[in-house]
Amino acid sequence: LYPVLEKAGDKTLLISETAVGTLIDICNACGYDSMQCLINENSDYLVNGISLNLRQLAHQPHASRVLDTMLRHSDASLLPLVEDVIQDVLSTLDQSYANQASTFLRVLYSLMAALVQWFGTACSEEGQQGQAAERRCRAVRQAQQPPVTSREVKQFFLDYVRQKQIAEGNLPDSDDDEADLVHPPAETEPHDSEAEGETRLPSHAQLAKDILERCIHLLSDGNLRVRLQVLDVLELCVTVLHPYENHLLPMAHRVWPALVTRLISDDPLAVLRAFKVLCTLAQKCGDFLRQRFSKDILPKLASSLLSQAPASARAGPVYSHTLAFKLQLAVLQGLGSLCEKLDMGE
Protein backbone atom coordinates (compact mmCIF):
# COMPACT_ATOMS: atom_id res chain seq x y z
CA LEU A 1 0.00 0.00 0.00
CA TYR A 2 2.81 2.44 0.89
CA PRO A 3 4.54 2.44 -2.55
CA VAL A 4 1.18 2.63 -4.37
CA LEU A 5 0.18 5.70 -2.30
CA GLU A 6 3.58 7.21 -3.09
CA LYS A 7 2.90 6.79 -6.83
CA ALA A 8 -0.61 8.25 -6.38
CA GLY A 9 1.12 11.46 -5.27
CA ASP A 10 3.40 11.55 -8.33
CA LYS A 11 3.54 14.77 -10.38
CA THR A 12 3.05 12.84 -13.64
CA LEU A 13 -0.70 12.59 -14.22
CA LEU A 14 -0.60 9.21 -15.99
CA ILE A 15 1.31 7.62 -13.08
CA SER A 16 -0.87 9.18 -10.36
CA GLU A 17 -4.17 8.28 -12.10
CA THR A 18 -3.02 4.68 -12.67
CA ALA A 19 -1.99 4.43 -8.99
CA VAL A 20 -5.42 5.70 -7.87
CA GLY A 21 -7.01 3.04 -10.09
CA THR A 22 -4.78 0.44 -8.42
CA LEU A 23 -5.94 1.65 -4.97
CA ILE A 24 -9.56 1.14 -6.06
CA ASP A 25 -8.67 -2.39 -7.24
CA ILE A 26 -7.04 -3.09 -3.83
CA CYS A 27 -10.23 -1.91 -2.09
CA ASN A 28 -12.37 -4.27 -4.18
CA ALA A 29 -9.98 -7.22 -3.78
CA CYS A 30 -9.56 -6.83 0.01
CA GLY A 31 -13.19 -6.01 0.81
CA TYR A 32 -12.85 -2.36 1.86
CA ASP A 33 -15.91 -0.16 1.33
CA SER A 34 -13.90 2.80 0.03
CA MET A 35 -10.40 4.18 -0.42
CA GLN A 36 -10.98 6.22 2.75
CA CYS A 37 -11.58 3.01 4.78
CA LEU A 38 -8.49 1.41 3.24
CA ILE A 39 -6.30 4.38 4.29
CA ASN A 40 -7.81 4.85 7.77
CA GLU A 41 -7.65 1.17 8.76
CA ASN A 42 -4.01 0.88 7.66
CA SER A 43 -2.94 4.36 8.83
CA ASP A 44 -0.75 3.08 11.69
CA TYR A 45 1.49 1.14 9.25
CA LEU A 46 1.57 4.05 6.80
CA VAL A 47 2.35 6.68 9.47
CA ASN A 48 5.17 4.51 10.83
CA GLY A 49 6.70 4.25 7.34
CA ILE A 50 6.39 8.00 6.74
CA SER A 51 8.03 8.84 10.09
CA LEU A 52 10.98 6.51 9.44
CA ASN A 53 11.51 7.80 5.89
CA LEU A 54 11.26 11.46 6.86
CA ARG A 55 14.40 10.96 8.94
CA GLN A 56 16.25 9.74 5.83
CA LEU A 57 15.17 12.32 3.28
CA ALA A 58 18.36 11.98 1.26
CA HIS A 59 17.50 8.32 0.54
CA GLN A 60 13.68 8.60 0.67
CA PRO A 61 12.86 11.94 -0.99
CA HIS A 62 9.23 11.02 -1.72
CA ALA A 63 8.08 10.17 1.83
CA SER A 64 5.91 13.28 1.94
CA ARG A 65 3.89 12.13 -1.12
CA VAL A 66 2.29 9.30 0.89
CA LEU A 67 0.98 11.72 3.51
CA ASP A 68 -0.17 14.07 0.73
CA THR A 69 -2.22 11.26 -0.88
CA MET A 70 -3.65 10.11 2.46
CA LEU A 71 -4.94 13.61 3.22
CA ARG A 72 -6.51 14.04 -0.20
CA HIS A 73 -8.44 10.74 -0.05
CA SER A 74 -9.61 10.64 3.59
CA ASP A 75 -11.78 12.58 6.08
CA ALA A 76 -11.47 14.33 9.46
CA SER A 77 -11.20 11.01 11.33
CA LEU A 78 -7.67 10.70 9.88
CA LEU A 79 -6.39 13.85 11.62
CA PRO A 80 -5.75 12.37 15.13
CA LEU A 81 -3.93 9.44 13.46
CA VAL A 82 -1.51 11.64 11.51
CA GLU A 83 -0.97 14.55 13.94
CA ASP A 84 2.38 13.19 15.13
CA VAL A 85 3.70 12.69 11.61
CA ILE A 86 2.60 16.22 10.65
CA GLN A 87 4.68 17.51 13.57
CA ASP A 88 7.57 15.44 12.13
CA VAL A 89 7.02 17.17 8.78
CA LEU A 90 7.15 20.60 10.44
CA SER A 91 10.32 19.80 12.38
CA THR A 92 11.97 18.32 9.25
CA LEU A 93 11.00 21.48 7.33
CA ASP A 94 12.67 23.57 10.04
CA GLN A 95 15.90 21.64 9.47
CA SER A 96 15.83 21.70 5.65
CA TYR A 97 14.46 25.06 4.50
CA ALA A 98 17.06 25.40 1.75
CA ASN A 99 16.47 22.31 -0.38
CA GLN A 100 13.18 20.68 0.70
CA ALA A 101 10.83 23.62 1.31
CA SER A 102 8.86 23.18 -1.93
CA THR A 103 8.24 19.46 -1.26
CA PHE A 104 6.94 20.04 2.25
CA LEU A 105 4.86 23.07 1.29
CA ARG A 106 2.95 20.84 -1.10
CA VAL A 107 2.07 18.55 1.83
CA LEU A 108 1.17 21.50 4.06
CA TYR A 109 -1.07 22.87 1.31
CA SER A 110 -2.86 19.49 1.06
CA LEU A 111 -3.22 19.44 4.85
CA MET A 112 -4.67 22.98 5.02
CA ALA A 113 -7.00 22.33 2.05
CA ALA A 114 -8.21 19.19 3.87
CA LEU A 115 -8.74 21.15 7.13
CA VAL A 116 -10.74 23.82 5.30
CA GLN A 117 -12.84 21.09 3.69
CA TRP A 118 -13.30 19.10 6.93
CA PHE A 119 -13.76 21.96 9.40
CA GLY A 120 -14.70 24.91 7.17
CA THR A 121 -18.46 24.71 7.82
CA ALA A 122 -17.95 23.97 11.52
CA CYS A 123 -15.52 26.89 11.80
CA SER A 124 -17.92 29.36 10.21
CA GLU A 125 -20.83 28.11 12.36
CA GLU A 126 -18.66 28.30 15.48
CA GLY A 127 -17.63 31.85 14.57
CA GLN A 128 -21.25 32.89 14.03
CA GLN A 129 -22.34 31.27 17.32
CA GLY A 130 -19.48 32.99 19.15
CA GLN A 131 -20.44 36.38 17.72
CA ALA A 132 -24.11 35.84 18.60
CA ALA A 133 -23.18 34.84 22.17
CA GLU A 134 -20.93 37.89 22.47
CA ARG A 135 -23.76 40.17 21.31
CA ARG A 136 -26.13 38.62 23.88
CA CYS A 137 -23.57 39.05 26.69
CA ARG A 138 -23.00 42.66 25.68
CA ALA A 139 -26.74 43.35 25.73
CA VAL A 140 -27.07 41.80 29.21
CA ARG A 141 -24.11 43.82 30.53
CA GLN A 142 -25.54 47.03 29.11
CA ALA A 143 -28.92 46.32 30.73
CA GLN A 144 -27.27 45.74 34.12
CA GLN A 145 -24.93 48.74 34.06
CA PRO A 146 -25.84 51.90 36.02
CA PRO A 147 -26.11 55.27 34.16
CA VAL A 148 -22.77 56.70 32.99
CA THR A 149 -21.54 59.84 34.79
CA SER A 150 -19.79 62.79 33.14
CA ARG A 151 -16.55 61.92 34.98
CA GLU A 152 -16.60 58.40 33.51
CA VAL A 153 -17.15 59.82 30.01
CA LYS A 154 -14.19 62.18 30.48
CA GLN A 155 -12.00 59.34 31.79
CA PHE A 156 -13.01 57.15 28.84
CA PHE A 157 -11.79 59.73 26.32
CA LEU A 158 -8.56 60.36 28.25
CA ASP A 159 -7.87 56.61 28.27
CA TYR A 160 -8.72 56.40 24.58
CA VAL A 161 -6.23 59.16 23.72
CA ARG A 162 -3.51 57.48 25.81
CA GLN A 163 -4.11 54.08 24.21
CA LYS A 164 -4.02 55.64 20.75
CA GLN A 165 -0.69 57.33 21.55
CA ILE A 166 0.72 54.01 22.74
CA ALA A 167 -0.51 52.25 19.58
CA GLU A 168 1.21 54.91 17.43
CA GLY A 169 4.42 54.69 19.46
CA ASN A 170 4.11 58.13 21.13
CA LEU A 171 4.74 57.11 24.72
CA PRO A 172 4.25 59.86 27.34
CA ASP A 173 7.32 60.87 29.38
CA SER A 174 5.77 62.05 32.66
CA ASP A 175 5.64 59.72 35.65
CA ASP A 176 1.99 60.58 36.34
CA ASP A 177 0.91 59.51 32.88
CA GLU A 178 2.92 56.31 33.18
CA ALA A 179 1.34 55.60 36.55
CA ASP A 180 -2.12 56.15 35.06
CA LEU A 181 -1.31 53.88 32.15
CA VAL A 182 -0.23 51.01 34.40
CA HIS A 183 -3.59 50.59 36.15
CA PRO A 184 -6.10 49.85 33.36
CA PRO A 185 -4.16 46.84 31.97
CA ALA A 186 -3.80 45.46 35.52
CA GLU A 187 -7.59 45.52 35.88
CA THR A 188 -8.16 43.76 32.59
CA GLU A 189 -5.55 41.00 33.09
CA PRO A 190 -7.97 38.49 34.69
CA HIS A 191 -10.43 38.98 31.83
CA ASP A 192 -7.69 38.46 29.25
CA SER A 193 -6.55 35.23 30.87
CA GLU A 194 -10.16 34.06 31.07
CA ALA A 195 -10.63 34.84 27.41
CA GLU A 196 -7.50 32.87 26.53
CA GLY A 197 -8.75 29.95 28.57
CA GLU A 198 -12.14 30.05 26.84
CA THR A 199 -10.62 30.11 23.36
CA ARG A 200 -8.12 27.31 23.75
CA LEU A 201 -7.36 26.10 20.27
CA PRO A 202 -8.62 22.72 19.03
CA SER A 203 -6.07 20.50 17.30
CA HIS A 204 -6.88 21.55 13.71
CA ALA A 205 -6.61 25.27 14.55
CA GLN A 206 -3.36 24.71 16.47
CA LEU A 207 -1.93 22.98 13.40
CA ALA A 208 -2.97 25.96 11.25
CA LYS A 209 -1.23 28.31 13.69
CA ASP A 210 1.97 26.21 13.70
CA ILE A 211 2.01 26.19 9.89
CA LEU A 212 1.34 29.94 9.77
CA GLU A 213 4.46 30.43 11.92
CA ARG A 214 6.52 28.72 9.18
CA CYS A 215 4.83 30.78 6.46
CA ILE A 216 6.02 34.02 8.07
CA HIS A 217 9.65 32.89 7.77
CA LEU A 218 9.29 31.45 4.27
CA LEU A 219 7.51 34.48 2.73
CA SER A 220 10.91 36.05 2.03
CA ASP A 221 12.41 32.96 0.37
CA GLY A 222 14.54 33.67 -2.69
CA ASN A 223 12.69 31.09 -4.81
CA LEU A 224 9.55 32.51 -6.48
CA ARG A 225 7.88 29.08 -6.58
CA VAL A 226 8.30 28.71 -2.81
CA ARG A 227 6.88 32.21 -2.20
CA LEU A 228 3.81 31.38 -4.32
CA GLN A 229 3.27 28.12 -2.43
CA VAL A 230 3.63 29.91 0.91
CA LEU A 231 1.01 32.50 -0.09
CA ASP A 232 -1.44 29.72 -1.02
CA VAL A 233 -0.87 27.96 2.33
CA LEU A 234 -1.11 31.26 4.22
CA GLU A 235 -4.56 32.00 2.78
CA LEU A 236 -5.88 28.62 3.92
CA CYS A 237 -4.36 29.07 7.41
CA VAL A 238 -6.20 32.39 7.81
CA THR A 239 -9.47 30.71 6.77
CA VAL A 240 -9.09 27.95 9.39
CA LEU A 241 -8.08 30.39 12.17
CA HIS A 242 -10.94 32.79 11.39
CA PRO A 243 -13.18 31.87 14.40
CA TYR A 244 -10.26 32.24 16.84
CA GLU A 245 -9.71 36.01 16.70
CA ASN A 246 -7.46 36.14 19.80
CA HIS A 247 -4.95 33.99 17.91
CA LEU A 248 -5.55 35.22 14.36
CA LEU A 249 -5.03 38.95 14.96
CA PRO A 250 -1.55 38.62 16.58
CA MET A 251 -0.50 36.33 13.72
CA ALA A 252 -1.86 38.84 11.17
CA HIS A 253 0.22 41.52 12.90
CA ARG A 254 3.36 39.37 12.55
CA VAL A 255 2.78 38.38 8.92
CA TRP A 256 1.97 41.94 7.79
CA PRO A 257 5.53 43.29 7.08
CA ALA A 258 6.46 40.29 4.89
CA LEU A 259 3.09 40.44 3.07
CA VAL A 260 3.53 44.16 2.35
CA THR A 261 6.94 43.44 0.79
CA ARG A 262 5.36 40.81 -1.47
CA LEU A 263 2.66 43.30 -2.52
CA ILE A 264 4.97 46.24 -3.20
CA SER A 265 8.25 44.87 -4.52
CA ASP A 266 8.01 41.37 -5.96
CA ASP A 267 7.41 39.50 -9.19
CA PRO A 268 3.95 40.39 -10.68
CA LEU A 269 2.85 36.76 -10.21
CA ALA A 270 3.62 36.98 -6.48
CA VAL A 271 1.93 40.40 -6.23
CA LEU A 272 -1.23 38.95 -7.78
CA ARG A 273 -1.24 36.02 -5.31
CA ALA A 274 -0.41 38.33 -2.37
CA PHE A 275 -3.34 40.61 -3.21
CA LYS A 276 -5.66 37.59 -3.09
CA VAL A 277 -4.27 36.73 0.37
CA LEU A 278 -4.76 40.37 1.45
CA CYS A 279 -8.45 40.21 0.44
CA THR A 280 -8.92 37.03 2.51
CA LEU A 281 -7.04 38.53 5.46
CA ALA A 282 -9.19 41.68 5.34
CA GLN A 283 -12.35 39.61 5.18
CA LYS A 284 -11.37 37.61 8.27
CA CYS A 285 -9.67 40.38 10.34
CA GLY A 286 -11.93 43.33 9.45
CA ASP A 287 -11.01 46.85 10.57
CA PHE A 288 -7.98 45.56 12.53
CA LEU A 289 -5.97 46.11 9.31
CA ARG A 290 -7.56 49.44 8.34
CA GLN A 291 -4.78 51.81 9.40
CA ARG A 292 -2.01 49.52 8.14
CA PHE A 293 -3.71 49.09 4.77
CA SER A 294 -4.37 52.80 4.26
CA LYS A 295 -0.79 53.69 5.23
CA ASP A 296 1.29 50.85 3.71
CA ILE A 297 -0.62 49.58 0.69
CA LEU A 298 -3.41 51.85 -0.59
CA PRO A 299 -1.09 54.65 -1.86
CA LYS A 300 1.04 52.08 -3.73
CA LEU A 301 -1.99 50.42 -5.31
CA ALA A 302 -3.42 53.79 -6.36
CA SER A 303 -0.14 54.95 -7.95
CA SER A 304 0.23 51.55 -9.69
CA LEU A 305 -3.24 51.84 -11.21
CA LEU A 306 -2.56 55.42 -12.33
CA SER A 307 0.74 54.43 -13.97
CA GLN A 308 -0.91 51.47 -15.77
CA ALA A 309 -3.92 53.48 -16.99
CA PRO A 310 -2.29 55.09 -20.10
CA ALA A 311 -0.86 51.73 -21.26
CA SER A 312 -4.14 49.84 -20.79
CA ALA A 313 -6.20 52.65 -22.40
CA ARG A 314 -4.46 52.24 -25.76
CA ALA A 315 -3.75 48.50 -25.53
CA GLY A 316 -4.88 45.97 -28.12
CA PRO A 317 -6.60 42.60 -27.66
CA VAL A 318 -3.32 40.87 -26.70
CA TYR A 319 -3.11 42.99 -23.50
CA SER A 320 -5.89 40.96 -21.87
CA HIS A 321 -3.57 37.90 -21.85
CA THR A 322 -0.71 39.65 -20.03
CA LEU A 323 0.13 39.42 -16.33
CA ALA A 324 -0.07 43.23 -16.03
CA PHE A 325 -3.72 43.10 -17.18
CA LYS A 326 -4.58 40.30 -14.71
CA LEU A 327 -3.00 42.22 -11.85
CA GLN A 328 -4.76 45.45 -12.81
CA LEU A 329 -8.10 43.62 -13.10
CA ALA A 330 -7.66 41.85 -9.74
CA VAL A 331 -6.93 45.15 -7.96
CA LEU A 332 -9.88 46.93 -9.60
CA GLN A 333 -12.24 44.06 -8.78
CA GLY A 334 -11.01 43.64 -5.21
CA LEU A 335 -10.35 47.20 -4.04
CA GLY A 336 -13.98 48.22 -3.48
CA SER A 337 -14.96 45.21 -1.35
CA LEU A 338 -11.58 45.41 0.40
CA CYS A 339 -12.22 49.00 1.53
CA GLU A 340 -15.74 48.01 2.56
CA LYS A 341 -14.51 45.09 4.70
CA LEU A 342 -11.92 47.36 6.33
CA ASP A 343 -14.66 49.92 7.08
CA MET A 344 -12.84 52.72 5.27
CA GLY A 345 -15.96 54.87 4.70
CA GLU A 346 -14.16 58.03 5.79
Side-chain angles (χ1 to χ4, degrees), residues 3-284:
V4 176
L5 282 168
E6 186 179 301
K7 294 302 177 190
D10 197 282
K11 292 178 184 177
T12 307
L13 186 63
L14 182 61
I15 294 174
S16 61
E17 288 297 317
T18 308
V20 170
T22 305
L23 287 170
I24 294 168
D25 291 341
I26 292 172
C27 290
N28 294 333
C30 299
Y32 290 101
D33 295 333
S34 64
M35 202 187 305
Q36 180 183 312
C37 292
L38 173 69
I39 290 170
N40 285 8
E41 291 187 28
N42 293 281
S43 60
D44 49 349
Y45 300 105
L46 295 168
V47 164
N48 185 51
I50 296 167
S51 295
L52 290 171
N53 290 333
L54 277 174
R55 294 168 198 161
Q56 305 171 23
L57 267 180
H59 306 291
Q60 300 286 344
H62 306 308
S64 58
R65 285 185 190 171
V66 182
L67 180 58
D68 184 24
T69 309
M70 288 172 71
L71 291 165
R72 281 190 285 113
H73 293 96
S74 192
D75 65 353
S77 61
L78 180 70
L79 186 60
L81 305 173
V82 298
E83 266 188 285
D84 289 342
V85 80
I86 290 166
Q87 291 300 332
D88 287 346
V89 168
L90 292 175
S91 59
T92 310
L93 173 62
D94 291 338
Q95 295 161 16
S96 55
Y97 276 131
N99 52 358
Q100 294 289 340
S102 184
T103 304
F104 287 118
L105 282 167
R106 185 183 173 197
V107 179
L108 296 182
Y109 179 82
S110 295
L111 170 63
M112 293 313 305
L115 292 182
V116 169
Q117 184 183 343
W118 298 340
F119 300 100
T121 309
C123 284
S124 59
E125 286 174 359
E126 191 176 332
Q128 288 168 2
Q129 288 170 2
Q131 289 169 3
E134 190 179 341
R135 283 196 295 271
R136 287 195 296 271
C137 291
R138 197 181 300 125
V140 170
R141 284 199 301 270
Q142 287 173 352
Q144 293 173 347
Q145 281 176 353
V148 180
T149 64
S150 58
R151 180 174 291 184
E152 287 172 339
V153 172
K154 179 183 176 183
Q155 189 59 44
F156 167 79
F157 283 108
L158 287 172
D159 291 342
Y160 173 78
V161 170
R162 287 197 195 96
Q163 293 300 329
K164 190 173 181 185
Q165 287 174 342
I166 292 169
E168 292 171 354
N170 302 325
L171 296 173
D173 296 328
S174 67
D175 294 338
D176 294 340
D177 285 349
E178 287 177 5
D180 289 341
L181 287 169
V182 169
H183 294 299
E187 291 172 7
T188 57
E189 272 178 4
H191 302 292
D192 291 344
S193 61
E194 283 172 21
E196 285 177 11
E198 288 168 9
T199 57
R200 189 178 178 185
L201 286 177
S203 58
H204 68 276
Q206 186 60 52
L207 274 175
K209 188 178 177 182
D210 291 342
I211 292 168
L212 190 51
E213 293 267 3
R214 273 74 177 182
C215 289
I216 294 169
H217 302 300
L218 284 168
L219 263 177
S220 305
D221 194 274
N223 188 333
L224 174 62
R225 184 185 172 196
V226 169
R227 295 201 299 276
L228 293 174
Q229 286 179 299
V230 170
L231 287 165
D232 286 339
V233 175
L234 175 62
E235 186 178 11
L236 294 172
C237 290
V238 170
T239 304
V240 172
L241 278 174
H242 172 220
Y244 312 100
E245 199 175 71
N246 290 346
H247 298 272
L248 175 60
L249 296 186
M251 295 305 290
H253 168 75
R254 288 182 55 195
V255 82
W256 185 257
L259 184 62
V260 170
T261 307
R262 301 285 69 77
L263 277 160
I264 291 172
S265 56
D266 205 335
D267 186 276
L269 205 57
V271 175
L272 186 61
R273 202 75 60 89
F275 185 75
K276 188 183 170 192
V277 173
L278 174 66
C279 292
T280 303
L281 202 57
Q283 185 181 355
K284 307 302 181 187

